[in-house]
Amino acid sequence: MLLDVRHDRARLPACSSTAIDCTWLRLPNCDWLPNRVWQRMRVSQSAAVWAFLAAATWLGTLPVWADDDKRAAAAASRIESPVAEPHWTKSDVAAELQGGSFESRQQAMWRLWSERDRVRIDVERAARDPDPEVAERARWILDRWRRGLLPETPPEIVERLRAVGRMRAIESLMEAGHFVGALVAIEEALTSPTGAAAIDRARTNLVRRFPFHVRKAHEAGQLHQFGEIVDRLADDPQLAICYQSLLARGDAGPPDSVLPSAAVAWAQRDRDQVEAITLAGLNRLDEALDVADRLGDEDIRRVLLMLMGQWGQIAKEQRDIAVSSPDGSDERVRAWSYALIGASRSGDRTIRSEAIESLSPARDSLADSSDDNESNISSASQDDELSFARIRWQVLAMHGEVDRALLWLKPSRPAEAAELLAQATRYTEAFEAIGIDPTDLEESASRLVGEALRSLEKVPVQQNFKPTEALQRLLTAARLATQVGHERLGYELLREVAIGARVRGDSASTLTPIFILQTLLRMNRMSWIESLTVADDDQSLSPALQFYIAKAYQAEPDTAAMLVDAIGRVKPHLSFADRLRAMLHLLDGQLPPGFDASQDYDRLHTQWSRPTRGTPLLGGRGLTSTPKLTLDVARLFEIHGQADIARSIRFTLAERGDVQALLSLADAELNEGSAARAMQWYEHVWSLVDENVGNEDELNPSDEAPLVAMRAVLGQSLASARLGDSEGADRLREQFELMLCSPSPAQRSAIASHLSDIGFLEEAVEVYRQLIPIVAFGSEEGVEFYSIAMQFSRALGDAPSAEIVRVLDLAISGTIETTAFVPAAYLSLPAMVARKAMMVAIDQGDADRIADSIEDVLRLDAVDIDFGEKVLGRMRESGMDDLARQTLERIRVAGRRHLDQFPLDISTCNNLAWILALADHRLDEALELSRRAVTFAPDSTVYRDTLAEVLFRSGRTDEAISIAKACLLDDAGEWHVHQQLQKFAGSVEEQRK
């Protein structure tokens, strides 16, 4: 018997076996299924219904009537009708899904599906109903919601969701711009015991792809729903601040609480922590402090007090914590460190002295404080871990207590002690710290080579290691020798250890050249790289050394590797070592010996444009390469003046869809006034990067994609404005500003840097101001507070301001536990802040502060040339001639004392002569120092320029003009010399008048 399942099922025996004609059923986008699977299927009525619903669930579709589309359309119109539906209760839902005809039950399922806000709880209860049909229909509705599928979901999105599992449904919906459905799926996942993984994926996707999502939400008119998504996913202050920023750009007023909606389920302590940091990020510091007090979190409270500038309160509170902490505990060291920071800035001399004494080592404890570096040479992470002994010497050094800091450093880390002493221009003590007699540099330094090589013998074969203590001392000795004018000695020390390590054939021979290269970068001796890192018998280049060589020349590692490969094909007769040398010349902007500029640049370009696959890479180590064009290659040719080749590469890359190349072309078109062409490029960039990100199979797209997207939208806005489309420009600008609400500090920092680069300084400053209180508490992305502070300072410009001083000081003093600088930076960075603070004090006429700041600077470095030039110059301009002259005399005396010991330090000779000349102070001595520098470095334009200035100040203008003209013959592009020559010539004209 053939039965129509539209008939009331009560007419059928409960267990009858029936052949059901399913030809009248149709599934959207899948007409074949009933005919091939269910037609004439002999099953019970209930089994047929459940099989049909299960198939519909699997396909992500809904059943409709094939023989009566009008009834389906009528049902849909009733669902969309504005007439209020009755409130559904559990019994109503069960009754609708259970009673009546099959058609009415189907219509009820449709209606309930569209009434989620009303019936969500009741449908979930119905999913547990003992009636299997009721439960299955309810589960079908729940599954739609959990996938973010709604009656109005476009078919193409339904199709898209079929290709992904429920785990990725949320991010797929956001990528498609269907934020209404994504919000439903998120709310369902939050209530599901198995939804945590999907929420984590969605949260990560939201943060990393925020610019793409917020623009799509703006264009789709779903900003409200997008904001709700951010709120639902927020589990940290960054996302909470993002949500608040989005609200601030809308019409709705601020909510009563800054906490995300999910916070209702958190423990009270977690709620308070997030609330305090979020309030701080919104610059509501007083409210944040109230929450921190309620929470009792001393760390959050201290950071807030720092942001508020309450240094005196920090000093008192941290002193109390220190006194109550156990002797020798980390808590005690930490508290005294912050007490010193607060007291030094508030002027509390009592607490400052007490903190310094408490942080200084007891004399009888020094013997126990040294570390056996030789026994830990293979540990790569030991020194990276937080060490409160390290914090002690760092905080002492940065407050000018160099001698007390050295008491910690000298016994255990002599190389670091020497670096600190050198920064303070105490080179005699620096050499002594690493075991060198400064009166016999040649002999005593040469002994370090043998010690360093013997220490390498203790390194386990093929095991990575950090520089041994002996090797560190040798590298430091080479750097110090070069700084005081003994360049030949510094070079020989590095060469001998390089040769000695090379013959070993183990990890020491592989890594020692890298340590040497790092030292050369710090010494700024690029010309030594070739002879110290390349040997005639080299047959390969390690990836690590390749990385650091590329870094030295600000190139990409792949560019260096491919360049060696291309050179080998252009000059196949060259040995591998000679290819490496040619590569170094090219990276340095020089044409290698034996190369012909008229043809070899083109030949190198051809190697990248028409690559030969399967070429041996880096000496035939079993790897092959296919050279590929990149923007880095274009920049390489630009360095060599090959503008046509560079331009050709950029266009080639643009044709291949390289978004960075497209961006550079778009920016060039905009700068040249071709706004229409620029708009096309920017739109193409956006479509490419959006498509690539949207199709990304992996969760981690390229880190550059968000920045590229933001730059493209900003460029579109600028181009629209220049084209006269004010409405379009405003819309795009609004989208860009929405992107600046990103929960990723790294994204916001990167776009702020770009804004600074293109001259939008006010906009960049505003972004940095918003970032500073956020990154002050740290960031999971590792965005350094100090990096943000330096970028902020550059955006504000050269003019000193109290805001710059405050932010830079916060970045240095507030991150002593999380940021590790090289030892010298603990003197140079505080000195930089002190100089800027003095400039502000001079402008404000604060005499007491100026006097204190002078002592602070000279404690850090008695021969601070920047201080002598910039700050003392400002003091003279402000009428403080006597104080400026007295301070300059102190610098001169310290500088002469140093030069008496190291007369070959011509850099200090030149610098001291320069600041003496600018002050018209002891010009005879300035002339003697300047002549010494020029004698030892006659080709230096910088040194000859100083001599010209001294002669000009001494009334010998004609000689000054002659020297300046000679400088321009050697370096016509030196703009400073042009200005000097103009000044000298103007003086002659004045005298003639």
Side-chain angles (χ1 to χ4, degrees):
M1 180 177 65
L2 297 178
L3 296 179
D4 193 329
V5 295
R6 286 173 292 182
H7 297 174
D8 192 301
R9 67 174 182 171
R11 294 173 50 194
L12 295 174
C15 298
S16 64
S17 178
T18 310
I20 301 178
D21 187 352
C22 296
T23 56
W24 55 269
L25 288 173
R26 176 172 60 85
L27 296 176
N29 303 319
C30 198
D31 293 333
W32 56 268
L33 188 61
N35 291 331
R36 295 192 180 183
V37 178
W38 295 325
Q39 192 173 20
R40 299 291 179 180
M41 190 175 183
R42 298 192 61 82
V43 292
S44 68
Q45 177 194 20
S46 296
V49 172
W50 306 146
F52 172 73
L53 291 176
T57 299
W58 178 69
L59 288 167
T61 60
L62 277 175
V64 296
W65 308 114
D67 61 343
D68 199 348
D69 288 337
K70 292 183 180 180
R71 277 186 284 177
S77 65
R78 288 196 298 273
I79 292 172
E80 297 171 0
S81 173
V83 178
E85 297 285 349
H87 176 68
W88 297 95
T89 65
K90 179 182 178 181
S91 57
D92 292 333
V93 168
E96 288 292 321
L97 293 177
Q98 185 178 41
S101 65
F102 180 85
E103 179 180 357
S104 67
R105 296 195 298 275
Q106 284 288 90
Q107 292 176 356
M109 189 168 64
W110 271 78
R111 187 164 52 249
L112 293 170
W113 181 33
S114 66
E115 294 287 340
R116 179 177 177 275
D117 290 341
R118 296 185 182 186
V119 301
R120 169 65 182 76
I121 296 176
D122 293 334
V123 169
E124 189 169 24
R125 291 173 182 169
R128 299 188 295 272
D129 196 276
D131 187 311
E133 181 180 356
V134 171
E136 189 62 30
R137 289 183 181 276
R139 284 195 290 269
W140 186 92
I141 297 172
L142 287 175
D143 184 75
R144 303 302 91 197
W145 290 338
R146 288 167 182 169
R147 293 176 182 270
L149 286 172
L150 305 173
E152 64 271 20
T153 301
E156 62 272 15
I157 296 180
V158 175
E159 188 68 26
R160 177 174 184 154
L161 288 176
R162 290 177 185 171
V164 301
R166 188 184 299 173
M167 178 75 70
R168 298 183 59 180
I170 300 172
E171 57 197 87
S172 185
L173 286 164
M174 288 197 292
E175 296 292 355
H178 192 55
F179 298 99
V180 175
L183 180 59
V184 169
I186 288 170
E187 291 176 345
E188 289 293 329
L190 287 170
T191 61
S192 170
T194 61
I199 289 296
D200 288 342
R201 284 190 65 98
R203 186 180 294 116
T204 301
N205 178 279
L206 170 66
V207 173
R208 290 178 174 166
R209 306 184 188 185
F210 182 86
F212 303 97
H213 295 326
V214 76
R215 186 184 193 189
K216 291 174 182 176
H218 181 269
E219 292 177 339
Q222 297 183 43
L223 267 180
H224 173 73
Q225 288 83 0
F226 180 72
E228 291 299 307
I229 287 175
V230 177
D231 176 52
R232 300 295 195 279
L233 295 178
D235 68 339
D236 60 24
Q238 282 78 22
L239 279 165
I241 292 169
C242 172
Y243 177 56
Q244 296 295 322
S245 300
L246 290 172
L247 285 181
R249 295 180 182 277
D251 297 330
D256 296 332
S257 173
V258 299
L259 287 170
S261 59
V264 295
W266 298 352
Q268 186 61 45
R269 182 171 183 80
D270 294 336
R271 288 168 53 88
D272 289 343
Q273 284 180 338
V274 171
E275 183 176 9
I277 298 174
T278 302
L279 287 168
L282 297 171
N283 205 29
R284 293 159 61 177
L285 299 178
D286 289 332
E287 297 174 64
L289 189 59
D290 290 340
V291 177
D293 289 340
R294 181 179 74 222
L295 174 63
D297 191 310
E298 294 294 339
D299 290 338
I300 293 178
R301 176 178 172 80
R302 186 191 66 254
V303 175
L304 288 170
L305 290 174
M306 285 182 172
L307 290 170
M308 299 169 74
Q310 300 295 322
W311 296 109
Q313 193 168 349
I314 290 173
K316 292 182 176 63
E317 291 182 2
Q318 293 299 314
R319 180 200 175 277
D320 292 342
I321 294 173
V323 170
S324 62
S325 299
D327 289 340
S329 65
D330 291 345
E331 292 79 8
R332 188 180 182 90
V333 172
R334 189 166 177 265
W336 275 126
S337 297
Y338 286 114
L340 176 56
I341 290 171
S344 298
R345 285 150 184 77
S346 63
D348 191 324
R349 297 181 182 275
T350 301
I351 295 181
R352 187 182 192 280
S353 299
E354 192 176 358
I356 290 172
E357 193 63 35
S358 299
L359 290 169
S360 301
R363 296 286 178 176
D364 57 359
S365 69
L366 293 178
D368 300 328
S369 65
S370 63
D371 296 333
D372 183 7
N373 269 16
E374 298 294 347
S375 65
N376 293 291
I377 54 178
S378 64
S379 174
S381 61
Q382 180 176 347
D383 290 342
D384 296 332
E385 297 176 359
L386 179 63
S387 166
F388 284 93
R390 172 172 60 81
I391 290 176
R392 280 193 291 256
W393 76 256
Q394 289 172 352
V395 77
L396 286 168
M398 65 192 290
H399 289 90
E401 300 296 329
V402 178
D403 290 319
R404 292 177 181 266
L406 290 169
L407 293 175
W408 288 112
L409 275 178
K410 278 185 177 180
S412 58
R413 289 174 170 77
E416 294 182 12
E419 185 174 339
L420 202 66
L421 285 161
Q423 181 63 37
T425 321
R426 294 164 59 176
Y427 282 91
T428 299
E429 298 171 74
F431 281 114
E432 291 172 346
I434 54 176
I436 294 178
D437 181 359
T439 64
D440 187 15
L441 284 179
E442 297 277 349
E443 180 64 28
S444 57
S446 63
R447 288 196 297 268
L448 291 182
V449 176
E451 295 176 13
L453 292 176
R454 284 192 296 274
S455 74
L456 296 180
E457 296 175 359
K458 300 180 181 180
V459 177
V461 177
Q462 301 301 328
Q463 181 171 333
N464 291 342
F465 70 103
K466 298 185 73 174
T468 63
E469 188 267 339
L471 180 57
Q472 283 182 320
R473 286 192 291 119
L474 181 132
L475 297 174
T476 302
R479 193 165 66 247
L480 296 185
T482 303
Q483 288 171 355
V484 298
H486 290 267
E487 290 209 8
R488 185 188 61 80
L489 175 60
Y491 174 82
E492 287 298 324
L493 291 174
L494 295 176
R495 187 183 70 85
E496 289 184 34
V497 80
I499 293 173
R502 189 185 302 275
V503 301
R504 294 173 54 85
D506 58 9
S507 61
S509 64
T510 301
L511 296 177
T512 300
I514 295 174
F515 302 143
I516 292 174
L517 182 55
Q518 291 171 332
T519 301
L520 294 180
L521 294 182
R522 295 192 61 189
M523 294 166 60
N524 194 26
R525 291 297 185 273
M526 306 291 287
S527 60
W528 296 1
I529 292 178
E530 178 182 333
S531 59
L532 293 178
T533 59
V534 180
D536 289 338
D537 58 349
D538 280 345
Q539 297 298 320
S540 65
L541 180 66
S542 72
L545 188 57
Q546 170 192 322
F547 172 83
Y548 282 103
I549 285 175
K551 181 180 179 181
Y553 294 101
Q554 298 181 338
E556 296 294 331
D558 284 348
T559 301
M562 299 301 176
L563 187 53
V564 174
D565 188 56
I567 291 169
R569 283 185 274 144
V570 170
K571 304 284 186 179
H573 65 280
L574 292 179
S575 67
F576 186 79
D578 285 337
R579 296 178 197 178
L580 292 181
R581 294 186 180 103
M583 177 263 289
L584 292 173
H585 279 81
L586 288 168
L587 290 178
D588 197 33
Q590 304 174 32
L591 188 67
F595 276 63
D596 184 351
S598 64
Q599 59 179 353
D600 286 337
Y601 285 124
D602 288 329
R603 294 174 66 191
L604 285 172
H605 176 213
T606 301
Q607 295 306 316
W608 267 293
S609 300
R610 299 173 183 175
T612 301
R613 296 187 178 274
T615 306
L617 174 65
L618 298 183
R621 293 180 289 114
L623 300 176
T624 59
S625 69
T626 301
K628 60 180 180 179
L629 290 176
T630 65
L631 281 181
D632 201 46
V633 176
R635 287 190 286 267
L636 175 65
F637 282 101
E638 286 173 340
I639 292 172
H640 286 262
Q642 303 298 308
D644 291 340
I645 294 178
R647 188 179 302 109
S648 172
I649 292 173
R650 291 180 185 275
F651 275 103
T652 300
L653 290 172
E655 290 174 354
R656 295 177 183 177
D658 185 296
V659 292
Q660 292 290 1
L662 286 165
L663 266 182
S664 67
L665 292 175
D667 292 341
E669 295 283 0
L670 190 64
N671 293 333
E672 293 169 6
S674 302
R677 183 64 175 160
M679 174 63 84
Q680 293 177 351
W681 285 120
Y682 286 127
E683 289 175 346
H684 188 41
V685 169
W686 170 268
S687 63
L688 280 176
V689 74
D690 183 37
E691 178 182 356
N692 290 339
V693 169
N695 291 337
E696 187 80 47
D697 290 331
E698 298 180 2
L699 186 60
N700 302 323
S702 170
D703 290 338
E704 73 175 6
L707 178 59
V708 170
M710 297 171 81
R711 286 183 56 184
V713 174
L714 176 62
Q716 286 179 281
S717 174
L718 298 174
S720 292
R722 294 184 188 181
L723 290 170
D725 182 6
S726 57
E727 182 177 349
D730 290 344
R731 175 178 56 81
L732 289 162
R733 185 65 180 224
E734 183 178 356
Q735 290 176 358
F736 176 74
E737 290 174 352
L738 286 168
M739 293 177 181
L740 293 178
C741 298
S742 171
S744 165
Q747 289 178 14
R748 297 169 71 178
S749 174
I751 196 61
S753 178
H754 174 67
L755 287 169
S756 294
D757 291 342
I758 63 176
F760 286 77
L761 298 180
E762 292 184 6
E763 291 82 354
V765 166
E766 185 58 32
V767 176
Y768 286 131
R769 283 182 176 140
Q770 295 169 1
L771 272 176
I772 284 165
I774 298 174
V775 298
F777 292 92
S779 168
E780 291 183 0
E781 295 176 301
V783 177
E784 295 287 350
F785 190 3
Y786 173 74
S787 175
I788 297 289
M790 289 300 295
Q791 293 172 27
F792 175 62
S793 176
R794 285 192 288 269
L796 279 176
D798 295 330
S801 71
E803 185 176 19
I804 290 178
V805 172
R806 180 184 69 86
V807 172
L808 287 173
D809 189 38
L810 272 174
I812 297 169
S813 61
T815 59
I816 58 172
E817 297 179 63
T818 57
T819 303
F821 302 106
V822 296
Y826 289 97
L827 299 183
S828 63
L829 294 179
M832 174 193 67
V833 174
R835 289 193 297 268
K836 292 180 180 294
M838 274 201 69
M839 302 280 262
V840 175
I842 291 168
D843 291 345
Q844 296 174 347
D846 190 339
D848 292 338
R849 187 177 174 189
I850 292 170
D852 289 342
S853 296
I854 290 174
E855 297 304 320
D856 291 341
V857 171
L858 296 185
R859 270 202 308 270
L860 294 166
D861 184 1
V863 194
D864 190 326
I865 299 300
D866 282 342
F867 176 67
E869 177 184 5
K870 299 174 183 177
V871 180
L872 296 187
R874 180 67 66 88
M875 290 174 66
R876 290 191 293 270
E877 293 171 2
S878 301
M880 304 177 186
D881 296 272
D882 290 341
L883 181 58
R885 192 170 296 271
Q886 293 169 13
T887 306
L888 179 58
E889 183 63 15
R890 293 175 62 182
I891 294 175
R892 184 196 70 83
V893 170
R896 289 311 304 245
R897 187 184 307 117
H898 165 72
L899 291 173
D900 288 343
Q901 183 71 41
F902 303 102
L904 296 180
D905 184 359
I906 57 176
S907 177
T908 298
C909 285
N910 174 77
N911 293 339
L912 193 56
W914 176 256
I915 62 174
L916 289 173
L918 294 183
D920 292 311
H921 184 66
R922 296 182 180 266
L923 291 178
D924 290 342
E925 188 172 338
L927 183 60
E928 179 261 317
L929 293 169
S930 182
R931 287 193 185 281
R932 187 195 305 181
V934 171
T935 298
F936 283 101
D939 296 331
S940 171
T941 301
V942 174
Y943 293 170
R944 286 185 288 163
D945 174 61
T946 298
L947 178 58
E949 182 70 24
V950 174
L951 290 169
F952 171 71
R953 298 275 180 165
S954 301
R956 300 160 65 173
T957 307
D958 290 341
E959 294 176 71
I961 290 175
S962 297
I963 293 174
K965 288 181 177 179
C967 288
L968 288 179
L969 289 176
D970 294 338
D971 190 356
E974 182 57 62
W975 184 246
H976 171 73
V977 179
H978 282 282
Q979 293 176 314
Q980 288 286 85
L981 185 58
Q982 186 177 8
K983 180 179 71 173
F984 300 158
S987 173
V988 173
E989 291 296 325
E990 287 293 325
Q991 291 175 4
R992 290 175 180 173
K993 293 180 181 179

